[in-house]
Amino acid sequence: MHRITGRVGDESLIEMSPSDSFTDESNGYHLHPTSSGGSSQQGLSGMRSRLTAEVRVESCESLDASLASLATSEHSDSPLSEPQTLERISTMSGLGRKRALFLKFRSRIDKQQYSKDSVFFRDGVRRIDFVLSYVDDKAGERKQERRREYEANLQNAGLELETEDKSESDDGKTYFLKIHAPWEVLATYADVLKIKVPFKANDIPSNTEMPMNWISTPFRLPEHIMHPEPDYFTAPFNKSKTDFFLIDDKETFFPPSTRNRIVYYILARCPYYREECGDKDKKGIKRLLNNGTYTSAFPLHDSRYWIRSKDPNCESERYNLYHYWARFLCFFKEQPLNLIRKYYGEKIGIYFAWLGFYTEMLFFAAVVGVICFLYGLLTYDDNEWSKEICNDEIGGKIVMCPLCDKKCGYWKLNSTCSSSWQSHLFDNVGTVFFAIFMGIWVTLFLEFWKRRQARLEYEWDLVDFEEEQQQLQLRPEYETKCTNRRLNRITQEMELVLDRTVAGLAGKVFLCWVTVVLWISLIIACIIGVIAYRLAVYAAFASIMKDSPTNNLQVVGSLITPQLATSVTASCINFVIIMILNLMYERVAIWITDMEIPKTHLEYENKLTVKMFLFQFVNYYSSCFYVAFFKGKFVGYPGEYAYMFGKWSNLRNEECDPGGCLIELTTQLVIVMTGKQVWGNIQEALVPWLMNWWGSRKARNHPESLYSRWEQDHDLQSFDQLGLFHEYLEMVIQFGFITLFVASFPLAPLLALFNNIIEIKVDAWKFTTQFRRPVAAKAHSIGAWEEILNGVAVLSVVTNAFIVAFTSDMIPRLVYMYAYKPEGEVSMRGYINDSLSVFNISAIPERNRPEYGENPSWFDSSITTCRYRDYRYPPGHEKEYSHTMQFWHILAAKLAFIIIMEHVVFLVKFFVAWMIPDVPSEVKARIKRERYLVQEYLHNYEVEKLKVQLSHNDHSDCTCTPMIYPSLPHHEVLSECL
């Protein structure tokens, strides 16, 4: 005896006892498509969705009576029989009603006899190119009207529609509108969009063989994954020359990514008003999504990601992407870029190509950075100045002046022993070499990427995809605002223009950039607040930690200092402020860009990119710039200290400890960079997974045949139009960290390398398993990000030169070694004593002196002087407390180092950029060959057509006007710009 439960409404569709198997056959579904029509089920009555009765059947034999009574109506395909059946059921009561409901549910399954986990219409032939979903709420008459007009206009454009009733959905509320683009529509818009298609197999031999090719074998993927399509010469599609192209099967000639791109182009421009109304604003799927007429719009994945589709006509490319790319165990494998491009489109493909290439180049930077770090580790014992600091006879007898007013007492130099040793790991000769190397590395990275990008442009048919062609893809938001037309001087055709006055345009530009400046000022104000926090809290930490129990810890006790506590807490606060401001400004930047009404999608993205990066640049890097170039540089000296807001504020400017500010810059860089990467990966991976898990909790127990392909994708997260923008922004900000401040932390490229390996897998997993399939889009480059990377590369040379010169102690040490060392010695002995100036304690003003009880127990009246970090004359000298000549020598050496380093690195950069051509010679030859073949084949094609026409005219008495090309049916083209 089996128990079967059927529910309609918000509950599960079907349940079976544990002894039953949930197979497709047991539920009446078969993989063989039926020939029953693919007509829409919009005529189903809303009564079905309100049925919530539960049927419990203890024996299937007990249903015979009900089956006989309902047999006629239940197996009728007429939509009129549905309300009659439901009306009969509603009049029943008790067990009879339950049995009738079960039979109604069961007959629906038997009648369809196909798996719902499919990408085809019910006829099993027409492919689903796009899906729209909506909920038919009670107060939605205007929405219903919009949908009727919109769907009627879609059909006028040539698209074919099929509706899944809400009773077929898992929640019993959602309708799904499936859209198919027939060949005529695809051909029309492929011609409009100048989509390149194959016309001849590529006959140029590929020179991809490399010496010692076997070394890369473990990193390779199967050939059918790396190259899912043969290599062809291509040309822009022309609907009037269909026999010119290699068309074997019209149904599969355009890949699914191209099909959904064409359909979305139509959806974005299709109006939802009657022709007599003429309201131009009522246009496009975006507006319908914003006003709630439709709840979602998306193309379908071709299969589940963990198993291949059972339909032999389905490519199962999603499964291949997950199996060979998205799994973390494949992190060492090459990326299947051609398959990514084929499935997701060129825009997403070029992103993963850039990210993979960036990660490959990071490997070399990470190796050199580790070598520089190891150099600092191996020369640990040769650190003469740290030995002097830690020596009880030298550092133990040097009394330092208080680091803050009132709350800070006198202290001995050897208390900074640990920090001076740590600083040597990053502040050594290897740092200078690494800063120069990174200046050259970034040039090699950008130049080699141009070559890789040029190769991809050719392989992916993007060579002629320039901004001029993107004029065909005007933003619908721009088109709806256009009221005038003007003559294009190049094409001599009328084009849409936005009616803007000079005053209106100037006002909008002024408002936009004033908003940007105000937000950047807000960031600077927050950074100033964090600096004030550092100044105010340092004194408190110094007072609290003076007798703290942490000082007695064996290993870390000496490391926990007021400087470290202040730096770490300030960095964490700064990181939280960064995250909060990011969320707020993103919406502001989008609002500003929308208000500017950019003409094309490319222009929109470039405008948004500039605004967001300017904000992020200030937001993320301002704290590092403060520590690198301002902290400890404007301190003054005892008796004449500098204050942040004047002496009345009591916020005395921070000093660098004798180990230098470089270790603090390292701390700041590690916290902000690592924190951003960890938070970003958690946000990217965990949040979509949790939302998908919660959204699909009811449907997880359904059999594959009942959980339809469109419902599975509907339960996934939608891929935001700016989703790829955020991915680029995250990586470019990281690029800035490892180039602008890399002189302070040679291990930054190593951390970035590990993060990028995880980032590629997280992004791949996210795209493949957690997001709906994005609409395919074309892009021939990484866009404005390339110019931003070039700007960051140039700026990085300057910042690293200044970090080595002014933040580290490298230049003062070299000046001391070669100009001020004891006679006859080549060592750093005596450097610490030479780098500290002397001040008379009795001359310290009362406001700067420590309060009673703040001084340590060893301090007494016999100590008359204290030391501070500067190069000034001692008390009693005729130039008392003014800068010594050594200070000016060091300053001159710093400026000379900056000039020499910048000129050397820039000279090498420009020489490398000149030596490496942007486009490989092989790619140039292939481009020329393809253009030649296109011209030759088109010429031969026209000649043959003309011969056929003339031959036909010679043997025919037809008097009509001859036509070279056959006439094809015409469909309405939804683009006002053509």
Side-chain angles (χ1 to χ4, degrees):
M1 184 179 294
H2 304 291
R3 190 181 74 172
I4 304 177
T5 304
R7 295 183 185 177
V8 182
D10 294 335
E11 303 299 327
S12 300
L13 289 178
I14 188 168
E15 298 178 9
M16 298 183 72
S17 65
S19 62
D20 287 327
S21 60
F22 249 150
T23 63
D24 293 340
E25 289 74 14
S26 66
N27 289 293
Y29 279 87
H30 304 283
L31 295 177
H32 304 290
T34 65
S35 59
S36 59
S39 61
S40 174
Q41 292 187 5
Q42 285 180 321
L44 293 179
S45 171
M47 187 182 298
R48 175 190 278 184
S49 63
R50 294 190 296 269
L51 295 176
T52 57
E54 184 178 281
V55 182
R56 302 186 185 277
V57 183
E58 298 301 329
S59 174
C60 290
E61 288 79 0
S62 65
L63 294 174
D64 290 340
S66 298
L67 179 59
S69 64
L70 292 171
T72 303
S73 63
E74 293 306 318
H75 289 82
S76 173
D77 288 336
S78 173
L80 297 176
S81 63
E82 185 77 20
Q84 296 173 4
T85 303
L86 292 174
E87 185 178 354
R88 290 180 58 189
I89 294 174
S90 63
T91 60
M92 298 181 182
S93 62
L95 183 59
R97 185 172 184 272
K98 294 182 179 181
R99 290 174 178 174
L101 278 171
F102 170 77
L103 287 174
K104 180 64 188 173
F105 171 74
R106 185 67 188 184
S107 67
R108 177 164 56 85
I109 299 177
D110 293 335
K111 183 166 56 179
Q112 293 178 5
Q113 294 191 349
Y114 81 108
S115 175
K116 298 178 73 176
D117 188 24
S118 170
V119 293
F120 295 96
F121 275 20
R122 297 191 191 97
D123 57 16
V125 176
R126 292 175 296 170
R127 189 183 187 98
I128 301 172
D129 297 315
F130 228 88
V131 174
L132 307 181
S133 67
Y134 60 92
V135 177
D136 194 7
D137 50 8
K138 296 179 180 179
E141 293 183 2
R142 294 187 62 185
K143 294 179 182 179
Q144 291 177 7
E145 179 65 22
R146 293 192 201 113
R147 283 194 291 266
R148 278 195 296 270
E149 296 298 331
Y150 188 67
E151 292 169 16
N153 289 331
L154 289 179
Q155 290 176 325
N156 291 337
L159 298 179
E160 297 176 3
L161 311 179
E162 183 178 83
T163 303
E164 289 289 329
D165 190 76
K166 61 183 178 181
S167 61
E168 305 286 339
S169 64
D170 179 62
D171 59 3
K173 301 176 182 178
T174 307
Y175 291 87
F176 291 96
L177 179 68
K178 298 176 289 185
I179 302 173
H180 168 76
W183 167 256
E184 289 301 328
V185 174
L186 294 174
T188 299
Y189 284 92
D191 195 346
V192 168
L193 299 175
K194 306 299 180 187
I195 294 173
K196 287 190 172 184
V197 294
F199 70 91
K200 183 184 183 300
N202 193 336
D203 59 358
I204 301 179
S206 178
N207 300 322
T208 56
E209 292 297 326
M210 298 176 60
M212 302 183 70
N213 210 16
W214 57 271
I215 296 178
S216 61
T217 301
F219 308 102
R220 290 182 177 174
L221 292 173
E223 184 66 19
H224 73 281
I225 299 298
M226 289 303 299
H227 301 284
E229 294 178 309
D231 193 8
Y232 293 106
F233 289 123
T234 59
F237 184 80
N238 190 327
K239 187 179 179 182
S240 63
K241 300 180 177 67
T242 53
D243 54 340
F244 174 73
F245 303 101
L246 300 177
I247 303 177
D248 295 329
D249 183 358
K250 290 184 178 180
E251 293 300 323
T252 60
F253 179 68
F254 293 108
S257 58
T258 302
R259 297 175 68 101
N260 71 57
R261 178 187 166 209
I262 290 173
V263 173
Y264 185 74
Y265 184 86
I266 298 172
L267 294 175
R269 286 157 177 78
C270 184
Y272 55 91
Y273 58 84
R274 295 191 184 96
E275 293 183 0
E276 58 269 17
C277 296
D279 189 352
K280 290 181 61 178
D281 281 344
K282 294 183 177 181
K283 178 189 292 187
I285 188 63
K286 286 186 179 179
R287 291 179 64 90
L288 291 173
L289 291 172
N290 291 336
N291 61 33
T293 304
Y294 291 99
T295 56
S296 63
F298 53 92
L300 291 180
H301 285 293
D302 61 1
S303 67
R304 299 191 178 198
Y305 67 85
W306 67 87
I307 189 172
R308 290 186 183 276
S309 174
K310 296 178 182 179
D311 190 339
N313 296 321
C314 195
E315 302 85 355
S316 296
E317 290 175 347
R318 185 190 187 193
Y319 167 79
N320 289 333
L321 285 170
Y322 176 75
H323 185 73
Y324 293 102
W325 177 50
R327 293 188 305 162
F328 188 78
L329 294 178
C330 301
F331 73 91
F332 61 93
K333 296 281 189 179
E334 59 185 338
Q335 294 191 91
L337 295 178
N338 289 318
L339 185 58
I340 297 170
R341 173 246 181 172
K342 182 184 176 186
Y343 192 75
Y344 290 114
E346 287 80 2
K347 192 171 185 178
I348 291 178
I350 206 93
Y351 163 72
F352 280 105
W354 176 81
L355 181 56
F357 182 78
Y358 172 42
T359 305
E360 291 172 12
M361 292 296 292
L362 273 177
F363 173 79
F364 302 102
V367 169
V368 177
V370 170
I371 292 173
C372 292
F373 178 77
L374 291 176
Y375 171 81
L377 200 62
L378 295 175
T379 57
Y380 206 65
D381 295 332
D382 300 332
N383 186 0
E384 188 67 36
W385 54 91
S386 292
K387 291 180 180 178
E388 290 186 355
I389 291 176
C390 298
N391 193 323
D392 291 338
E393 297 299 320
I394 302 176
K397 292 185 177 180
I398 296 179
V399 178
M400 303 295 293
C401 298
L403 294 174
C404 64
D405 297 340
K406 302 293 185 180
K407 295 297 181 181
C408 299
Y410 297 93
W411 53 286
K412 291 186 177 181
L413 184 61
N414 62 354
S415 62
T416 62
C417 176
S418 298
S419 63
S420 67
W421 283 109
Q422 296 166 17
S423 179
H424 174 72
L425 294 175
F426 309 109
D427 190 1
N428 53 63
V429 179
T431 300
V432 181
F433 168 78
F434 191 60
I436 296 174
F437 168 80
M438 287 300 293
I440 300 172
W441 173 88
V442 73
T443 304
L444 292 172
F445 163 64
L446 294 174
E447 292 303 317
F448 282 127
W449 164 247
K450 290 177 184 177
R451 290 172 63 85
R452 176 73 67 89
Q453 185 172 264
R455 190 177 296 277
L456 289 174
E457 282 183 26
Y458 169 74
E459 292 176 354
W460 293 355
D461 300 322
L462 300 169
V463 173
D464 298 323
F465 185 78
E466 302 294 341
E467 283 76 6
E468 290 79 13
Q469 287 193 354
Q470 293 197 8
Q471 303 307 314
L472 295 175
Q473 302 180 34
L474 298 180
R475 297 176 65 240
E477 295 84 354
Y478 177 85
E479 290 182 356
T480 57
K481 299 293 183 182
C482 292
T483 55
N484 297 328
R485 292 179 181 267
R486 70 180 176 190
L487 184 68
N488 188 309
R489 296 180 180 179
I490 299 174
T491 63
Q492 293 298 307
E493 295 178 357
M494 300 301 292
E495 64 177 5
L496 292 168
V497 292
L498 198 62
D499 188 13
R500 286 174 170 169
T501 62
V502 176
L505 181 61
K508 281 191 175 182
V509 171
F510 177 77
L511 177 62
C512 292
W513 285 103
V514 163
T515 307
V516 173
V517 171
L518 286 175
W519 273 88
I520 291 177
S521 303
L522 175 62
I523 302 171
I524 296 173
C526 292
I527 297 302
I528 292 174
V530 173
I531 296 172
Y533 164 85
R534 297 172 71 110
L535 303 180
V537 169
Y538 178 80
F541 275 124
S543 178
I544 294 171
M545 300 179 68
K546 180 178 59 174
D547 302 317
S548 175
T550 57
N551 296 333
N552 301 322
L553 296 177
Q554 292 292 331
V555 179
V556 297
S558 59
L559 304 178
I560 303 176
T561 61
Q563 292 94 333
L564 179 66
T566 303
S567 180
V568 170
T569 56
S571 299
C572 293
I573 292 173
N574 182 61
F575 176 72
V576 173
I577 292 175
I578 287 173
M579 292 295 105
I580 294 173
L581 290 177
N582 274 350
L583 295 175
M584 297 171 63
Y585 181 74
E586 180 181 332
R587 299 183 180 183
V588 174
I590 293 173
W591 172 73
I592 294 173
T593 310
D594 287 339
M595 191 170 60
E596 292 179 354
I597 319 176
K599 186 175 183 180
T600 64
H601 294 287
L602 179 66
E603 185 180 349
Y604 181 89
E605 290 182 2
N606 289 345
K607 287 178 177 291
L608 182 62
T609 296
V610 171
K611 295 180 181 66
M612 283 296 294
F613 182 75
L614 283 176
F615 174 83
Q616 299 279 17
F617 185 91
V618 179
N619 199 14
Y620 278 106
Y621 302 143
S622 54
S623 58
C624 292
F625 271 100
Y626 164 72
V627 175
F629 306 123
F630 295 97
K631 183 179 179 181
K633 309 300 185 295
F634 310 99
V635 176
Y637 62 93
E640 289 295 332
Y641 285 117
Y643 291 82
M644 186 174 182
F645 301 112
K647 292 183 179 180
W648 60 269
S649 66
N650 293 326
L651 295 176
R652 199 172 101 188
N653 290 347
E654 287 184 281
E655 295 185 43
C656 293
D657 61 32
C661 276
L662 195 70
I663 191 67
E664 289 196 41
L665 178 59
T666 303
T667 303
Q668 181 78 20
L669 182 64
V670 170
I671 289 177
V672 176
M673 177 181 171
T674 307
K676 180 186 182 303
Q677 292 176 348
V678 172
W679 173 255
N681 285 328
I682 291 175
Q683 194 175 22
E684 287 182 23
L686 191 60
V687 173
W689 180 81
L690 287 174
M691 295 181 71
N692 288 337
W693 176 85
W694 180 256
S696 62
R697 63 193 184 281
K698 288 185 178 180
R700 279 193 291 272
N701 296 324
H702 290 347
E704 180 178 340
S705 58
L706 288 183
Y707 194 22
S708 65
R709 164 67 22 222
W710 43 92
E711 286 182 280
Q712 293 175 41
D713 288 6
H714 181 264
D715 289 340
L716 298 177
Q717 296 299 300
S718 62
F719 183 73
D720 187 15
Q721 182 184 2
L722 299 176
L724 212 55
F725 168 83
H726 294 118
E727 303 294 341
Y728 273 119
L729 182 62
E730 180 183 2
M731 288 296 102
V732 171
I733 292 296
Q734 183 208 79
F735 180 81
F737 278 124
I738 69 165
T739 53
L740 295 174
F741 309 102
V742 74
S744 66
F745 188 47
L747 295 180
L750 182 65
L751 294 181
L753 175 64
F754 289 148
N755 174 77
N756 284 13
I757 292 173
I758 298 173
E759 179 74 22
I760 290 175
K761 291 304 159 187
V762 168
D763 286 348
W765 173 82
K766 182 176 64 178
F767 272 94
T768 310
T769 67
Q770 302 302 309
F771 280 157
R772 298 170 187 162
R773 186 173 183 171
V775 178
K778 278 188 175 290
H780 71 288
S781 68
I782 60 175
W785 297 111
E786 191 167 343
E787 296 302 322
I788 290 175
L789 291 174
N790 283 318
V792 172
V794 172
L795 182 60
S796 67
V797 178
V798 180
T799 56
N800 283 303
F802 272 86
I803 287 173
V804 173
F806 286 98
T807 308
S808 77
D809 284 340
M810 182 58 57
I811 303 302
R813 291 170 192 160
L814 293 176
V815 170
Y816 175 81
M817 178 180 289
Y818 292 107
Y820 292 92
K821 66 180 184 300
E823 292 295 332
E825 293 187 19
V826 184
S827 68
M828 293 298 295
R829 186 177 302 163
Y831 168 73
I832 291 299
N833 187 62
D834 179 76
S835 63
L836 298 175
S837 299
V838 181
F839 193 85
N840 196 337
I841 291 178
S842 60
I844 296 178
E846 185 64 30
R847 67 174 181 275
N848 300 133
R849 290 186 178 182
E851 294 178 347
Y852 178 78
E854 295 295 339
N855 287 326
S857 58
W858 49 262
F859 183 82
D860 53 34
S861 58
S862 62
I863 301 175
T864 58
T865 60
C866 65
R867 311 292 292 272
Y868 59 99
R869 185 185 173 86
D870 208 343
Y871 294 92
R872 295 180 183 271
Y873 289 108
H877 194 276
E878 59 180 0
K879 298 181 179 179
E880 182 180 59
Y881 303 138
S882 61
H883 285 122
T884 63
M885 188 57 64
Q886 185 176 355
F887 169 84
W888 300 109
H889 287 169
I890 292 172
L891 181 61
K894 289 180 177 180
L895 297 177
F897 172 82
I898 291 173
I899 294 172
I900 293 172
M901 178 179 170
E902 286 182 358
H903 281 70
V904 168
V905 175
F906 280 133
L907 182 63
V908 175
K909 281 170 65 71
F910 293 135
F911 178 74
V912 168
W914 175 76
M915 284 288 293
I916 302 175
D918 291 348
V919 182
S921 58
E922 177 194 359
V923 173
K924 289 181 180 179
R926 287 173 174 265
I927 293 173
K928 292 178 181 178
R929 169 70 174 163
E930 184 166 323
R931 285 175 177 168
Y932 167 76
L933 282 176
V934 170
Q935 294 177 357
E936 181 186 32
Y937 270 64
L938 278 174
H939 172 74
N940 294 338
Y941 174 84
E942 297 288 355
V943 171
E944 291 297 324
K945 281 287 186 181
L946 184 58
K947 287 179 180 178
V948 172
Q949 178 189 2
L950 293 176
S951 174
H952 177 72
N953 289 341
D954 290 340
H955 297 84
S956 175
D957 295 332
C958 179
T959 59
C960 59
T961 304
M963 292 184 64
I964 295 179
Y965 313 117
S967 60
L968 298 175
H970 175 71
H971 284 283
E972 177 187 355
V973 179
L974 295 173
S975 178
E976 293 186 12
C977 65
L978 299 176

